[in-house]
Amino acid sequence: MDAIFKALADASRRRLLDSLNSRNGQSLRELCADLDMTRQAVTKHLAVLEAAGLVTTMRRGREKLHYLNAAPINDIAERWIGRYDRERARALADLKTALEAAPMTDNPFVYTTYIKTTPERLWQALTDPAFTRRYWNIEFETDWKPGSTMAWLTEDGRKTVDSEQVVLEAEPYRRLAYTWHTFTPEWAQAAGIGDDVLARLAAEPRSKVTFEIEPFGEEMVKLTVVHDGFGPDSTMRAMISEGWPGVVALLKTLLETGEVPAVPQH
């Protein structure tokens, strides 16, 4: 964690993170335009942030886009903030955001982690029901071809089928993307979601999740989860930012140890 605190100690680097927090997924050119810093300075600061895991990058055509990575901050919270204090801090932060922040559109959630496994094994863990039910309590019924529909099945027998639940991209061992599931009254009841929250979720545009898989050294794989497609002031955006760190942590544990602790129903 020393690298994280060292990276955050510099005001210019904090400004870069603020810029990405305001609009995630920026190119170097866009970041330079928003900040009173030279291209060389921005490049050096981004290198420090990326080395600390606070920023992750992905290629889109010829451009290299930069995203905030929630993983290191989540690790700090797990280490020093207890459950009660975490909920109290979140409540205060939500109030401050509601009072001060301007409406935000499509703020993608990006989470990067490194797993001691192979791309083939990670792909299997993302697609094979024998794996997904262990760390996520979910199975998918699909042939994993782009355009194919996906049925979502939970451990308690609930099955969600919708023509808009589809596979978007499937490049084995490298990239997988699909639309997020439909919010049904049965799902809401099982998850403890009230009617008012369910109504807000149902009114939002359907989001999507993308998994990017990259070899990292000889024994590691870099996994980047990008969940995007949210509308302004998205309720779903807030919910998945809490859910994905836990799911990815359990996935990592399963692949690295072969075991996974019991997980609650989703």
Side-chain angles (χ1 to χ4, degrees):
M1 291 187 179
D2 290 346
I4 298 172
F5 289 114
K6 183 178 179 180
L8 292 173
D10 186 276
S12 295
R13 290 195 281 272
R14 293 196 298 271
R15 288 171 58 202
L16 279 169
L17 293 176
D18 285 338
S19 179
L20 289 175
N21 187 47
S22 175
R23 183 165 60 87
N24 222 354
Q26 295 187 57
S27 66
L28 177 61
R29 173 180 51 80
E30 291 170 324
L31 285 168
C32 291
D34 287 343
L35 301 169
D36 186 22
M37 286 189 275
T38 66
R39 184 183 183 91
Q40 183 179 17
V42 171
T43 300
K44 288 182 177 180
H45 286 312
L46 285 172
V48 174
L49 292 169
E50 190 170 357
L54 291 162
V55 168
T56 188
T57 60
M58 288 185 294
R59 288 282 180 183
R60 288 293 180 270
R62 295 183 178 180
E63 283 193 315
K64 182 179 180 182
L65 302 184
H66 300 79
Y67 294 87
L68 279 176
N69 181 28
I73 303 301
N74 184 71
D75 290 342
I76 292 172
E78 290 291 336
R79 181 168 178 174
W80 283 306
I81 303 178
R83 178 171 182 149
Y84 173 77
D85 290 329
R86 183 196 301 269
E87 294 302 322
R88 182 171 59 182
R90 182 179 299 122
L92 291 173
D94 288 344
L95 175 61
K96 183 176 185 292
T97 299
L99 292 173
E100 298 179 358
M104 191 177 299
T105 60
D106 192 15
N107 181 21
F109 174 84
V110 182
Y111 196 93
T112 296
T113 191
Y114 297 86
I115 305 174
K116 189 175 182 179
T117 188
T118 64
E120 293 79 9
R121 186 78 167 163
L122 179 52
W123 179 269
Q124 185 182 16
L126 292 172
T127 59
D128 188 337
F131 277 85
T132 59
R133 77 167 73 99
R134 291 191 65 191
Y135 66 88
W136 203 353
N137 280 338
I138 289 175
E139 298 180 21
F140 301 108
E141 284 186 357
T142 183
D143 59 11
W144 295 112
K145 295 179 180 178
S148 293
T149 56
M150 300 173 63
W152 290 54
L153 296 88
T154 58
E155 194 174 49
D156 60 3
R158 287 177 287 117
K159 183 175 182 177
T160 306
V161 181
D162 192 307
S163 61
E164 294 186 14
Q165 291 175 182
V166 296
V167 180
L168 299 173
E169 301 177 62
E171 187 178 353
Y173 323 133
R174 293 188 61 183
R175 184 177 173 88
L176 178 68
Y178 49 82
T179 56
W180 205 233
H181 68 84
T182 302
F183 305 111
T184 65
E186 294 76 16
W187 167 83
Q189 183 178 12
I193 301 298
D195 291 342
D196 55 337
V197 176
L198 177 61
R200 293 202 302 270
L201 290 171
E204 293 183 3
R206 187 180 296 271
S207 59
K208 64 181 177 70
V209 62
T210 302
F211 303 91
E212 300 227 350
I213 302 169
E214 304 173 55
F216 189 80
E218 296 183 358
E219 298 183 338
M220 304 286 286
V221 174
K222 176 183 176 183
L223 172 65
T224 301
V225 180
V226 181
H227 199 139
D228 59 4
F230 307 106
D233 301 321
S234 172
T235 298
M236 187 71 249
R237 174 63 172 80
M239 292 175 67
I240 61 94
S241 67
E242 294 296 316
W244 273 123
V247 171
V248 174
L250 291 170
L251 166 62
K252 176 179 171 70
T253 299
L254 177 60
L255 285 171
E256 293 185 342
T257 70
E259 300 295 334
V260 66
V263 293
Q265 292 292 325
H266 287 74

